[in-house]
Amino acid sequence: MAPDARRSRAFLLVGVAIPLLALASCAFAPLLPRSGDLEAYLHEIPIPGRGSYAFVPPTEAELAVWRQAVAALVQGRPARAAALASRVDYDLVRFRYAGTARTYFVLVERRDAGGRPLKGRGTYVYTPRGLRALHLQVPHPLYDRETRGEGIFLFLRLRAAALSLAGTHRNANETEYSPCDGTFLDGNPYRISDVAHFDKTFFEVFHEELLRADPQLVALSLHGFSSAFPYTAIVSNGTPQDRGPGSLANRLADALDARLSPHGLQAGSCNAAGFPDTLCGTTNVQGRFANGSPDLCRRDAPRAATPERFLQLEQQPPLRRPSGSVSWETVLEALAEVFPPRPYPSDREEARAPGTPGAPGRSQRAW
Ligand SMILES: [Zn+2]
């Protein structure tokens, strides 16, 4: 072959190989390794505020890819989950929590040049070895003040299975209304950026796939309210129906009430006989899914699931404080009582290891 012909063939090969390599690198999205303080990492993820219009509703195709990514993650195929998540602008981070033997998977949205999450679709943390079959959900960060910090705190201290943090303020898209049931305090419908009241979200799909994958898992949706209503905490299973004292909602309300009453405060349950049906979460789409509603957007669930798979916790400001006579710790103690740990051999080993957060031997109590 003449030198010129050889050179042009070489250029041709390079010209084909480079685009192929680029394609391959798109399809192969590695798990991003990271270690450090997971609590600080989750606090640092920016959440755009009211009126920012930072939430971009996903298309049906994007929801389908996301569903596959979440399913792969909970089925123990993180490499596949990372590749799928990459197609909807998410990275899958394998996070080693410093000072512990624990590893968490974090689905974190990529950001623009200004550091803002691309489409405001939220942050999702999962561990296959969660000690408690509990999925903490924070659908209203910023608006329900302190609930993001509370959710992160409870998730890590309880060593729960999962945590979901909404990607924006509930009214980020202030004039774009959800087609789903319910009315916001201003008399307008809920907004599409409100993940508790719009069912076409990554938040909802993550919730659904986790409930499907783990039959013991219970979702706990953390909220805040402030009114003259004489209860500091109101628990609900997403319906107003009365249940017996053994119901999860009533047990959590009782566990909170036992800790609030010494301070002259009280907790109630929408599912206890005689309790007024207010702030019961009946239009919450995550609750409707857990309770088998045939139309998450427009139909109340006919009845609560048995056993209950969804709880909503409405909290007055005192319970949403990091510290104080009544605080996040009060909620932590009540949840630890109602949700016993699921034993795993490696967790028992870690529980014996001194100096790890959540383990005996530190000032922080072990749960
Ligand atoms: Zn709320």
Side-chain angles (χ1 to χ4, degrees):
M1 194 182 288
D4 275 357
R6 213 174 289 140
R7 203 175 300 127
S8 68
R9 196 171 142 194
F11 276 126
L12 185 67
L13 280 174
V14 168
V16 170
I18 286 178
L20 276 178
L21 277 174
L23 264 180
S25 66
C26 283
F28 177 71
L31 280 168
L32 301 181
R34 196 169 173 136
S35 64
D37 182 349
L38 181 56
E39 189 162 8
Y41 174 79
L42 293 172
H43 271 281
E44 284 161 11
I45 294 171
I47 297 182
R50 179 178 196 149
S52 61
Y53 289 86
F55 175 69
V56 181
T59 64
E60 290 293 341
E62 287 176 319
L63 287 168
V65 171
W66 176 252
R67 190 178 292 283
Q68 290 174 43
V70 176
L73 181 61
V74 297
Q75 288 160 10
R77 294 183 293 160
R80 176 168 165 74
L84 287 160
S86 155
R87 288 170 51 192
V88 286
D89 295 318
Y90 269 71
D91 287 316
L92 181 58
V93 178
R94 191 200 297 265
F95 203 108
R96 291 196 187 281
Y97 188 12
T100 77
R102 292 184 243 162
T103 297
Y104 290 88
F105 292 102
V106 188
L107 281 160
V108 62
E109 191 174 29
R110 293 174 182 156
R111 301 182 202 170
D112 64 18
R116 192 168 95 149
L118 287 175
K119 292 171 183 169
R121 292 172 177 174
T123 303
Y124 305 90
V125 194
Y126 172 72
T127 172
R129 305 192 73 76
L131 202 56
R132 287 185 169 82
L134 197 56
H135 175 187
L136 277 306
Q137 301 184 343
V138 182
H140 298 151
L142 307 182
Y143 185 81
D144 291 349
R145 284 187 198 163
E146 304 283 3
T147 55
R148 168 161 68 161
E150 182 185 26
I152 295 168
F153 171 85
L154 294 175
F155 168 69
L156 292 172
R157 296 303 185 284
L158 289 166
R159 302 179 56 186
L163 170 70
S164 291
L165 301 169
T168 68
H169 186 288
R170 66 186 295 175
N171 292 350
N173 297 29
E174 212 158 11
T175 57
E176 294 175 5
Y177 299 117
S178 167
C180 299
D181 287 347
T183 306
F184 187 59
L185 291 174
D186 63 4
N188 289 309
Y190 292 118
R191 277 51 170 196
I192 54 167
S193 41
D194 183 341
V195 295
H197 296 102
F198 182 49
D199 57 342
K200 307 293 185 193
T201 64
F202 281 15
F203 194 96
E204 172 60 22
V205 168
F206 187 79
H207 167 70
E208 292 179 5
E209 289 306 309
L210 263 62
L211 277 192
R212 282 198 180 107
D214 183 347
Q216 295 179 337
L217 192 71
V218 174
L220 174 66
S221 188
L222 295 168
H223 295 263
F225 76 108
S226 182
S227 73
F229 202 52
Y231 288 88
T232 301
I234 301 169
V235 185
S236 164
N237 62 22
T239 79
Q241 295 154 356
D242 293 345
R243 285 275 176 107
S247 101
L248 207 49
N250 292 343
R251 284 168 50 213
L252 179 57
D254 288 347
L256 285 164
D257 194 65
R259 289 162 175 85
L260 290 172
S261 58
H263 305 281
L265 306 172
Q266 58 181 335
S269 167
C270 289
N271 309 111
F275 191 82
D277 295 338
T278 182
L279 293 169
C280 296
T282 55
T283 58
N284 181 302
V285 295
Q286 284 82 50
R288 285 178 167 184
F289 175 82
N291 290 324
S293 162
D295 179 349
L296 307 187
C297 203
R298 294 186 185 83
R299 298 265 301 273
D300 283 356
R303 65 191 68 79
T306 305
E308 290 143 298
R309 308 286 315 270
F310 174 85
L311 295 175
Q312 171 168 293
L313 176 58
E314 288 280 359
Q315 308 164 98
Q316 296 265 26
L319 265 186
R320 285 180 273 135
R321 296 181 300 198
S323 60
S325 57
V326 166
S327 69
W328 296 346
E329 292 277 352
T330 313
V331 183
L332 176 67
E333 288 180 17
L335 288 171
E337 178 186 314
V338 175
F339 291 91
R342 298 196 282 195
Y344 291 111
S346 66
D347 293 317
R348 284 200 294 272
E349 281 162 24
E350 189 191 331
R352 284 199 299 270
T356 58
R362 285 185 42 125
S363 57
Q364 186 177 287
R365 289 173 64 186
W367 297 101

